Each structure stands twice: as C-alpha cells, then as structure tokens.
Amino acid sequence: MRHIRSLHASLEDSINSAMVGLSNTARAKLDSCLNDLKATTGKLALVVEFGISQLRATAVKPRVKPWVDIFNTTSHDIKEEEFASYEANDPFSQTLMVQVDGLLGSFTSLLTEENYKALVGVLVSEVAEQLEKAVFKSSFNRLGGLQFDREVRAIVGYLSQVSEWGVREHLTRLTQMATLLNLENLAES
C-alpha cells in the first residue's frame, strides 16, 4: 500500500512536469487513472486484513492453544522444592518462548515488515487471551503465585524483545493477575 501511494505521487509529479500542454479531456483521463490507482490502496488494505485474520485462524490460534495448555498441566500449587526447581528450569514459559520464536521465525522472510508486525500483534493477543483463560482454570498457592509472576515477567520480557511496539498493554491483565496472586491480603491492594 505504501508502494502504491509512492507510485501515485511519483506518477502525478511526472505528469505535472512532463505533460504541461495536455488538453482538459486528456488530463481528466489521467486524473481518473491516478484516482483508480489510489483507490486500490483501500482494496489492498482489506485483502491484508483478511489475510491476517486467516493467518490467525490457521497458523496462530491452533498452535497457541496447545502451547498454553501446558500451563494447565503445570501445577501452581507447589512446594519449596518445586519452586526452586522451576526457577532453574521453568516448564511453561521457556517452552512457550521457544514455540513462539519458532513460529515467528518461520514467517520472518515471508512477510513484509508491516505484515510481520501485524502477525506479532495477533500472536501476542492470542497468547494473552489463551493464558488468561488458563489462569482461571488453575489453582494457586503463595509459591504458585510467585511462579506465575516469574512466568508472566519472562513472557512479557521476551515478547517485548521480539516486537518493536509495546506489547505490555496486551498483557496488562496477566500482569494484574500475577500481582493479585502475590498479595498476602486484600489490604495490600
């Protein structure tokens, strides 16, 4: 789309400078063609939007759900030994980050920069949505809440690195959930 706008501007400048003596009819025909070219930008934007929605439905959502299901199989009602073990080898967030990295890596060379950013946005939204659902299905003790806080921090940090725009707002609810799980009593809030 950016290229079409650039082409439109370039053609318009060329026409204005090179074809000074055009008749009104010829100029109207050229203007009509230029406007048609410009109108394709909107159509292409719809195609891109449709493509990103299809990418979400076929490549992102089916993969993210099983990755996040690992969260439900990882206990967050843990003892000191498990908490220490998770510190050295986090069974959920490390696996999620490797999977996300693999997915993004498979699309890096295939997408334009703008489309890649859109994919990252879709991926972050889907991870946040699926993880929020998983949290509501889980039970936590104090150490499990601390572990969840670690996991959220690791995921937010990783996703912030792979994207050029702030993903923190997409993950705010998860961060808030982790904060609530770490409160010892309601007076702390």
Side-chain angles (χ1 to χ4, degrees), residues 70-103:
I70 295 170
F71 181 84
N72 289 329
T73 62
T74 305
S75 178
H76 285 83
D77 188 3
I78 57 177
K79 296 180 169 70
E80 287 283 340
E81 300 82 37
E82 292 168 302
F83 183 70
S85 171
Y86 286 177
E87 185 173 13
N89 185 20
D90 183 346
F92 170 66
S93 62
Q94 288 176 356
T95 303
L96 178 68
M97 289 183 283
V98 166
Q99 297 294 342
V100 167
D101 195 50
L103 178 66

Side-chain angles (χ1 to χ4, degrees), residues 7 37 46 78 86 116 118 126 132 142 153-154 164 171 176 189:
L7 177 62
L37 177 64
L46 292 174
I78 57 177
Y86 286 177
Y116 182 78
E126 191 63 33
E132 286 172 19
R142 176 81 174 128
R153 287 176 190 272
E164 293 179 5
L171 302 167
Q176 291 169 343
S189 59

Side-chain angles (χ1 to χ4, degrees), residues 19-181:
M19 300 183 180
V20 178
L22 285 176
S23 68
N24 288 342
T25 305
R27 180 62 194 200
K29 286 180 184 179
L30 284 173
D31 286 343
S32 175
C33 290
L34 285 174
N35 289 335
D36 287 346
L37 177 64
K38 199 173 192 179
T40 60
T41 303
K43 293 174 186 173
L44 286 175
L46 292 174
V47 170
V48 168
E49 186 177 313
F50 177 74
I52 294 296
S53 72
Q54 290 300 303
L55 197 56
R56 178 181 195 143
T58 60
V60 174
K61 194 169 188 166
R63 291 183 182 171
V64 170
K65 185 161 177 19
W67 300 341
V68 173
D69 284 345
I70 295 170
F71 181 84
N72 289 329
T73 62
T74 305
S75 178
H76 285 83
D77 188 3
I78 57 177
K79 296 180 169 70
E80 287 283 340
E81 300 82 37
E82 292 168 302
F83 183 70
S85 171
Y86 286 177
E87 185 173 13
N89 185 20
D90 183 346
F92 170 66
S93 62
Q94 288 176 356
T95 303
L96 178 68
M97 289 183 283
V98 166
Q99 297 294 342
V100 167
D101 195 50
L103 178 66
L104 290 176
S106 68
F107 285 100
T108 303
S109 63
L110 301 174
L111 299 174
T112 64
E113 185 178 334
E114 292 85 13
N115 291 341
Y116 182 78
K117 287 179 184 178
L119 172 66
V120 171
V122 164
L123 183 60
V124 168
S125 295
E126 191 63 33
V127 167
E129 182 181 320
Q130 293 298 327
L131 193 51
E132 286 172 19
K133 289 178 185 177
V135 168
F136 286 118
K137 294 177 185 176
S138 299
S139 61
F140 297 84
N141 64 4
R142 176 81 174 128
L143 291 175
L146 289 171
Q147 177 58 29
F148 178 62
D149 185 57
R150 279 186 196 161
E151 292 165 342
V152 169
R153 287 176 190 272
I155 292 167
V156 169
Y158 169 75
L159 292 175
S160 295
Q161 287 176 351
V162 298
S163 68
E164 293 179 5
W165 49 274
V167 298
R168 296 186 191 279
E169 65 261 4
H170 289 286
L171 302 167
T172 299
R173 282 177 45 109
L174 286 171
T175 304
Q176 291 169 343
M177 289 175 177
T179 301
L180 287 173
L181 288 170

Side-chain angles (χ1 to χ4, degrees), residues 1-11 37-38 41-42 45:
M1 291 175 285
R2 178 187 63 202
H3 299 294
I4 290 177
R5 287 190 295 269
S6 175
L7 177 62
H8 177 272
S10 175
L11 286 172
L37 177 64
K38 199 173 192 179
T41 303

